[in-house]
CSV table of all heavy atoms in Angstrom, one decimal:
chain,number,residue,atom,x,y,z
A,498,LYS,N,-20.8,-12.4,20.7
A,498,LYS,CA,-20.3,-11.1,21.1
A,498,LYS,C,-19.3,-10.6,19.9
A,498,LYS,O,-19.1,-9.4,19.8
A,498,LYS,CB,-19.5,-11.1,22.4
A,498,LYS,CG,-20.4,-11.3,23.6
A,498,LYS,CD,-19.6,-11.3,24.8
A,498,LYS,CE,-20.5,-11.6,26.0
A,498,LYS,NZ,-19.7,-11.7,27.3
A,499,TYR,N,-18.8,-11.5,19.2
A,499,TYR,CA,-17.8,-11.1,18.1
A,499,TYR,C,-18.4,-11.2,16.8
A,499,TYR,O,-19.1,-12.2,16.4
A,499,TYR,CB,-16.6,-12.0,18.2
A,499,TYR,CG,-15.9,-11.9,19.6
A,499,TYR,CD1,-16.1,-12.9,20.5
A,499,TYR,CD2,-15.1,-10.8,19.8
A,499,TYR,CE1,-15.4,-12.8,21.8
A,499,TYR,CE2,-14.4,-10.7,21.0
A,499,TYR,CZ,-14.6,-11.7,22.0
A,499,TYR,OH,-14.0,-11.6,23.2
A,500,GLU,N,-18.2,-10.2,15.9
A,500,GLU,CA,-18.6,-10.3,14.6
A,500,GLU,C,-17.4,-10.8,13.7
A,500,GLU,O,-16.3,-10.3,13.9
A,500,GLU,CB,-19.1,-8.9,14.1
A,500,GLU,CG,-20.4,-8.5,14.7
A,500,GLU,CD,-21.0,-7.3,14.1
A,500,GLU,OE1,-20.8,-7.1,12.9
A,500,GLU,OE2,-21.6,-6.6,14.8
A,501,PRO,N,-17.7,-11.6,12.8
A,501,PRO,CA,-16.6,-12.1,11.9
A,501,PRO,C,-16.0,-11.0,11.1
A,501,PRO,O,-16.7,-10.1,10.7
A,501,PRO,CB,-17.2,-13.2,11.0
A,501,PRO,CG,-18.7,-12.9,11.1
A,501,PRO,CD,-18.9,-12.2,12.4
A,502,ILE,N,-14.7,-11.1,10.9
A,502,ILE,CA,-14.0,-10.1,10.0
A,502,ILE,C,-13.6,-10.8,8.8
A,502,ILE,O,-13.0,-11.9,8.8
A,502,ILE,CB,-12.8,-9.5,10.7
A,502,ILE,CG1,-13.2,-8.8,12.0
A,502,ILE,CG2,-12.0,-8.6,9.8
A,502,ILE,CD1,-12.0,-8.4,12.8
A,503,VAL,N,-14.0,-10.2,7.6
A,503,VAL,CA,-13.6,-10.8,6.4
A,503,VAL,C,-12.3,-10.1,5.9
A,503,VAL,O,-12.3,-8.8,5.7
A,503,VAL,CB,-14.7,-10.7,5.3
A,503,VAL,CG1,-14.3,-11.2,4.0
A,503,VAL,CG2,-15.9,-11.4,5.8
A,504,PHE,N,-11.2,-10.8,5.7
A,504,PHE,CA,-10.0,-10.2,5.3
A,504,PHE,C,-9.6,-10.8,3.9
A,504,PHE,O,-9.3,-12.0,3.8
A,504,PHE,CB,-8.9,-10.5,6.3
A,504,PHE,CG,-7.6,-9.9,5.9
A,504,PHE,CD1,-7.3,-8.6,6.0
A,504,PHE,CD2,-6.5,-10.8,5.5
A,504,PHE,CE1,-6.1,-8.0,5.6
A,504,PHE,CE2,-5.3,-10.2,5.2
A,504,PHE,CZ,-5.1,-8.9,5.2
A,505,VAL,N,-9.7,-9.9,2.9
A,505,VAL,CA,-9.3,-10.4,1.6
A,505,VAL,C,-7.9,-9.8,1.3
A,505,VAL,O,-7.7,-8.6,1.3
A,505,VAL,CB,-10.3,-9.8,0.5
A,505,VAL,CG1,-9.9,-10.3,-0.9
A,505,VAL,CG2,-11.7,-10.3,0.8
A,506,ASN,N,-7.0,-10.7,1.1
A,506,ASN,CA,-5.6,-10.3,1.0
A,506,ASN,C,-5.2,-10.2,-0.5
A,506,ASN,O,-4.5,-11.0,-1.0
A,506,ASN,CB,-4.7,-11.3,1.7
A,506,ASN,CG,-3.2,-10.8,1.8
A,506,ASN,OD1,-3.0,-9.6,1.7
A,506,ASN,ND2,-2.3,-11.7,2.0
A,507,ASN,N,-5.7,-9.2,-1.1
A,507,ASN,CA,-5.3,-8.9,-2.5
A,507,ASN,C,-4.6,-7.6,-2.6
A,507,ASN,O,-5.0,-6.6,-2.1
A,507,ASN,CB,-6.6,-8.8,-3.4
A,507,ASN,CG,-7.4,-10.1,-3.5
A,507,ASN,OD1,-6.8,-11.2,-3.5
A,507,ASN,ND2,-8.7,-10.0,-3.6
A,508,PRO,N,-3.4,-7.7,-3.2
A,508,PRO,CA,-2.6,-6.4,-3.3
A,508,PRO,C,-3.3,-5.3,-4.1
A,508,PRO,O,-4.1,-5.6,-5.0
A,508,PRO,CB,-1.4,-6.9,-4.1
A,508,PRO,CG,-1.3,-8.4,-4.1
A,508,PRO,CD,-2.8,-8.8,-3.9
A,509,ILE,N,-3.1,-4.1,-3.8
A,509,ILE,CA,-3.6,-3.0,-4.5
A,509,ILE,C,-2.7,-2.9,-5.8
A,509,ILE,O,-1.5,-2.9,-5.8
A,509,ILE,CB,-3.4,-1.7,-3.8
A,509,ILE,CG1,-4.1,-1.7,-2.4
A,509,ILE,CG2,-3.8,-0.5,-4.6
A,509,ILE,CD1,-3.7,-0.6,-1.5
A,510,SER,N,-3.4,-2.9,-7.0
A,510,SER,CA,-2.7,-2.9,-8.2
A,510,SER,C,-2.9,-1.6,-9.0
A,510,SER,O,-2.4,-1.5,-10.1
A,510,SER,CB,-3.1,-4.1,-9.1
A,510,SER,OG,-4.4,-4.1,-9.3
A,511,ASN,N,-3.7,-0.7,-8.5
A,511,ASN,CA,-4.0,0.5,-9.2
A,511,ASN,C,-4.0,1.7,-8.2
A,511,ASN,O,-4.6,1.6,-7.1
A,511,ASN,CB,-5.4,0.4,-9.8
A,511,ASN,CG,-5.8,1.5,-10.7
A,511,ASN,OD1,-5.4,2.7,-10.4
A,511,ASN,ND2,-6.4,1.3,-11.8
A,512,SER,N,-3.3,2.7,-8.5
A,512,SER,CA,-3.1,3.8,-7.6
A,512,SER,C,-4.5,4.5,-7.2
A,512,SER,O,-4.6,5.1,-6.2
A,512,SER,CB,-2.2,4.9,-8.2
A,512,SER,OG,-2.7,5.4,-9.4
A,513,LYS,N,-5.5,4.3,-8.1
A,513,LYS,CA,-6.8,4.8,-7.7
A,513,LYS,C,-7.4,4.1,-6.5
A,513,LYS,O,-8.3,4.6,-5.9
A,513,LYS,CB,-7.7,4.7,-8.9
A,513,LYS,CG,-7.3,5.5,-10.1
A,513,LYS,CD,-8.2,5.3,-11.3
A,513,LYS,CE,-7.7,6.0,-12.5
A,513,LYS,NZ,-8.4,5.7,-13.7
A,514,ASP,N,-7.0,2.8,-6.3
A,514,ASP,CA,-7.5,2.0,-5.2
A,514,ASP,C,-6.7,2.2,-3.9
A,514,ASP,O,-7.0,1.6,-2.9
A,514,ASP,CB,-7.5,0.6,-5.6
A,514,ASP,CG,-8.4,0.3,-6.8
A,514,ASP,OD1,-9.4,1.0,-6.9
A,514,ASP,OD2,-8.1,-0.7,-7.5
A,515,ASP,N,-5.7,3.0,-4.0
A,515,ASP,CA,-4.8,3.2,-2.8
A,515,ASP,C,-5.4,4.1,-1.8
A,515,ASP,O,-5.3,5.3,-1.9
A,515,ASP,CB,-3.4,3.7,-3.3
A,515,ASP,CG,-2.5,4.0,-2.1
A,515,ASP,OD1,-2.7,3.4,-1.0
A,515,ASP,OD2,-1.5,4.7,-2.3
A,516,VAL,N,-6.0,3.5,-0.8
A,516,VAL,CA,-6.6,4.3,0.3
A,516,VAL,C,-5.7,4.4,1.5
A,516,VAL,O,-5.9,5.2,2.4
A,516,VAL,CB,-8.0,3.7,0.8
A,516,VAL,CG1,-9.0,3.8,-0.3
A,516,VAL,CG2,-7.8,2.3,1.3
A,517,ILE,N,-4.6,3.7,1.4
A,517,ILE,CA,-3.6,3.7,2.5
A,517,ILE,C,-2.6,4.9,2.4
A,517,ILE,O,-2.2,5.5,3.4
A,517,ILE,CB,-2.8,2.4,2.5
A,517,ILE,CG1,-3.7,1.2,2.8
A,517,ILE,CG2,-1.7,2.4,3.5
A,517,ILE,CD1,-3.1,-0.1,2.6
A,518,GLY,N,-2.3,5.3,1.2
A,518,GLY,CA,-1.4,6.4,0.9
A,518,GLY,C,0.0,6.0,0.8
A,518,GLY,O,0.9,6.5,1.4
A,519,PHE,N,0.3,5.1,-0.2
A,519,PHE,CA,1.6,4.6,-0.5
A,519,PHE,C,2.4,5.6,-1.3
A,519,PHE,O,3.6,5.3,-1.7
A,519,PHE,CB,1.6,3.3,-1.2
A,519,PHE,CG,1.3,2.1,-0.3
A,519,PHE,CD1,0.2,1.3,-0.5
A,519,PHE,CD2,2.2,1.7,0.7
A,519,PHE,CE1,0.0,0.2,0.3
A,519,PHE,CE2,2.0,0.6,1.5
A,519,PHE,CZ,0.9,-0.1,1.3
A,520,ASP,N,1.8,6.7,-1.7
A,520,ASP,CA,2.4,7.6,-2.6
A,520,ASP,C,3.8,8.1,-2.2
A,520,ASP,O,4.8,8.1,-3.0
A,520,ASP,CB,1.6,8.9,-2.8
A,520,ASP,CG,0.3,8.6,-3.5
A,520,ASP,OD1,0.2,7.6,-4.2
A,520,ASP,OD2,-0.6,9.5,-3.5
A,521,SER,N,4.0,8.4,-0.9
A,521,SER,CA,5.3,8.9,-0.5
A,521,SER,C,6.3,7.8,-0.5
A,521,SER,O,7.5,8.0,-0.9
A,521,SER,CB,5.2,9.5,0.9
A,521,SER,OG,4.8,8.5,1.9
A,522,GLN,N,5.9,6.5,-0.2
A,522,GLN,CA,6.9,5.4,-0.3
A,522,GLN,C,7.3,5.2,-1.8
A,522,GLN,O,8.4,4.9,-2.1
A,522,GLN,CB,6.3,4.2,0.3
A,522,GLN,CG,6.2,4.2,1.8
A,522,GLN,CD,4.9,4.9,2.3
A,522,GLN,OE1,4.1,5.2,1.6
A,522,GLN,NE2,4.8,5.1,3.6
A,523,ILE,N,6.3,5.3,-2.7
A,523,ILE,CA,6.6,5.1,-4.1
A,523,ILE,C,7.6,6.2,-4.6
A,523,ILE,O,8.5,5.9,-5.3
A,523,ILE,CB,5.3,5.2,-4.9
A,523,ILE,CG1,4.3,4.1,-4.6
A,523,ILE,CG2,5.6,5.2,-6.4
A,523,ILE,CD1,4.8,2.7,-4.8
A,524,ASP,N,7.4,7.4,-4.2
A,524,ASP,CA,8.3,8.5,-4.5
A,524,ASP,C,9.7,8.2,-4.0
A,524,ASP,O,10.7,8.4,-4.7
A,524,ASP,CB,7.8,9.8,-4.0
A,524,ASP,CG,6.5,10.3,-4.7
A,524,ASP,OD1,6.2,9.8,-5.8
A,524,ASP,OD2,5.8,11.2,-4.1
A,525,THR,N,9.8,7.7,-2.8
A,525,THR,CA,11.1,7.4,-2.2
A,525,THR,C,11.8,6.3,-3.0
A,525,THR,O,13.0,6.4,-3.3
A,525,THR,CB,10.9,7.0,-0.7
A,525,THR,OG1,10.3,8.1,0.0
A,525,THR,CG2,12.2,6.6,-0.1
A,526,LEU,N,11.0,5.3,-3.3
A,526,LEU,CA,11.6,4.2,-4.1
A,526,LEU,C,12.0,4.6,-5.5
A,526,LEU,O,13.1,4.2,-6.0
A,526,LEU,CB,10.6,3.0,-4.2
A,526,LEU,CG,10.4,2.2,-2.9
A,526,LEU,CD1,9.2,1.3,-3.0
A,526,LEU,CD2,11.6,1.5,-2.4
A,527,LEU,N,11.2,5.4,-6.1
A,527,LEU,CA,11.6,5.9,-7.5
A,527,LEU,C,12.8,6.8,-7.4
A,527,LEU,O,13.7,6.7,-8.3
A,527,LEU,CB,10.4,6.7,-8.1
A,527,LEU,CG,9.2,5.9,-8.6
A,527,LEU,CD1,8.1,6.8,-8.9
A,527,LEU,CD2,9.6,5.0,-9.7
């Protein structure tokens, strides 16, 4: 009944790969 989930825990290292939308957090930190 369950399909396996593959979770690759690699950090995003390029803004082009950011599908989450960290831009606003980056602006806040800067």
Side-chain angles (χ1 to χ4, degrees):
K498 292 179 184 177
Y499 300 101
E500 291 191 30
I502 297 172
V503 177
F504 179 72
V505 179
N506 190 20
N507 293 327
I509 301 166
S510 58
N511 187 322
S512 59
K513 295 175 187 173
D514 298 329
D515 179 18
V516 296
I517 297 171
F519 281 119
D520 292 345
S521 64
Q522 287 86 6
I523 298 298
D524 292 342
T525 301
L526 290 170
L527 288 171

